[in-house]
Amino acid sequence: SKLFLKQKKDKVEAIEELENLSCFIEEKGAIQTLKALSGAYSYPSHRFVANTVHIEQADRFSIHSDTAELTFQNKTEEGLLEMKGNVRLFSPCIQDKESFSLADKLFVHLDDQTLVLSADTPKRVLFWQEGFSLSAPEIIIQRDPLTKNESIKSKGDAHFTFNLEEQNIIDQLISKYL
């Protein structure tokens, strides 16, 4: 890694540039891994940006994307993870079922674990779950804090079947995990 320090008046800004990242995070007894080709952390903004990203928690989820950005509003608030470009999500446990999704963007609100998958117009988010197909401009996956059950909602023009092109795309994604 390389560390750059810049003084602006009375404050110091720091940027650490990293390559070939492997990070292990333990949270509530679960270990998550983050791997990236490159990244940069900025202080005091607490902003982390990474390229060619793979985030995984064993037996819960796997997410790939071209870029990822993690930001925190301040030291006491949870952050927002924004993943962009060729977002691919696999989880064997959304509603206790195998689930696959393709999107252009994924926003994870870390405080309540809400996932918002979105697509750039005219593309659509593709979501497949054990035979259930959903195609929409935006899909929201939210976990109830009391029951721990996930709900899946769509925004915009939702289709419950894939067209031939969408079906071929989702089949290619699923084949990588089987």
Side-chain angles (χ1 to χ4, degrees), residues 76-95:
T76 60
E77 287 185 26
E78 292 287 343
L80 174 68
L81 174 63
E82 179 180 351
M83 301 181 81
K84 291 182 179 178
N86 299 309
V87 177
R88 296 162 316 279
L89 165 70
F90 164 72
S91 176
C93 61
I94 296 173
Q95 297 180 334

Side-chain angles (χ1 to χ4, degrees), residues 3 19 23 32 34 36 45-46 49 92 105 142 165:
L3 180 63
E19 290 183 15
C23 176
Q32 296 178 12
L34 177 139
S45 65
H46 299 291
V49 179
K105 297 177 194 141
Q142 193 166 28
E165 181 184 354

Side-chain angles (χ1 to χ4, degrees), residues 18-22 36-39:
L18 308 144
E19 290 183 15
N20 300 315
L21 296 148
S22 287
L37 194 58
S38 63

Side-chain angles (χ1 to χ4, degrees), residues 96-109:
D96 295 322
K97 298 175 184 169
E98 280 195 343
S99 305
F100 299 88
S101 190
L102 290 165
D104 291 319
K105 297 177 194 141
L106 169 65
F107 299 93
V108 181
H109 300 271

Side-chain angles (χ1 to χ4, degrees), residues 103 105 117-125 135-139 154-159:
K105 297 177 194 141
L117 296 133
S118 65
D120 297 329
T121 306
K123 295 192 286 184
R124 304 171 67 76
V125 176
S135 169
E138 186 173 279
I139 294 176
S154 65
K155 277 189 174 179
D157 178 26
H159 299 179

Side-chain angles (χ1 to χ4, degrees), residues 12-171:
V12 174
E13 290 180 1
I15 297 175
E16 183 176 13
E17 293 179 353
L18 308 144
E19 290 183 15
N20 300 315
L21 296 148
S22 287
C23 176
F24 300 91
I25 305 162
E26 184 177 350
E27 183 180 319
K28 300 177 184 174
I31 295 176
Q32 296 178 12
T33 61
L34 177 139
K35 293 182 180 181
L37 194 58
S38 63
Y41 176 76
S42 301
Y43 177 86
S45 65
H46 299 291
R47 180 176 174 247
F48 176 72
V49 179
N51 298 302
T52 313
V53 181
H54 177 206
I55 299 174
E56 185 173 309
Q57 183 180 36
D59 301 327
R60 296 228 358 109
F61 64 83
S62 175
I63 308 170
H64 297 264
S65 70
D66 293 343
T67 64
E69 181 175 336
L70 178 62
T71 55
F72 293 92
Q73 298 301 320
N74 61 49
K75 293 178 187 175
T76 60
E77 287 185 26
E78 292 287 343
L80 174 68
L81 174 63
E82 179 180 351
M83 301 181 81
K84 291 182 179 178
N86 299 309
V87 177
R88 296 162 316 279
L89 165 70
F90 164 72
S91 176
C93 61
I94 296 173
Q95 297 180 334
D96 295 322
K97 298 175 184 169
E98 280 195 343
S99 305
F100 299 88
S101 190
L102 290 165
D104 291 319
K105 297 177 194 141
L106 169 65
F107 299 93
V108 181
H109 300 271
L110 299 177
D111 57 342
D112 64 1
Q113 298 294 301
T114 298
L115 287 90
V116 179
L117 296 133
S118 65
D120 297 329
T121 306
K123 295 192 286 184
R124 304 171 67 76
V125 176
L126 305 180
F127 180 84
W128 181 92
Q129 184 182 67
E130 291 188 10
F132 169 74
S133 302
L134 178 59
S135 169
E138 186 173 279
I139 294 176
I140 302 162
I141 302 170
Q142 193 166 28
R143 178 178 276 188
D144 184 286
L146 299 175
T147 67
K148 305 295 184 205
N149 295 328
E150 294 93 2
S151 63
I152 301 166
K153 302 173 185 173
S154 65
K155 277 189 174 179
D157 178 26
H159 299 179
F160 296 97
T161 58
F162 294 142
N163 65 33
L164 185 58
E165 181 184 354
E166 292 171 337
Q167 187 64 52
N168 288 337
I169 292 169
I170 206 79
D171 286 346

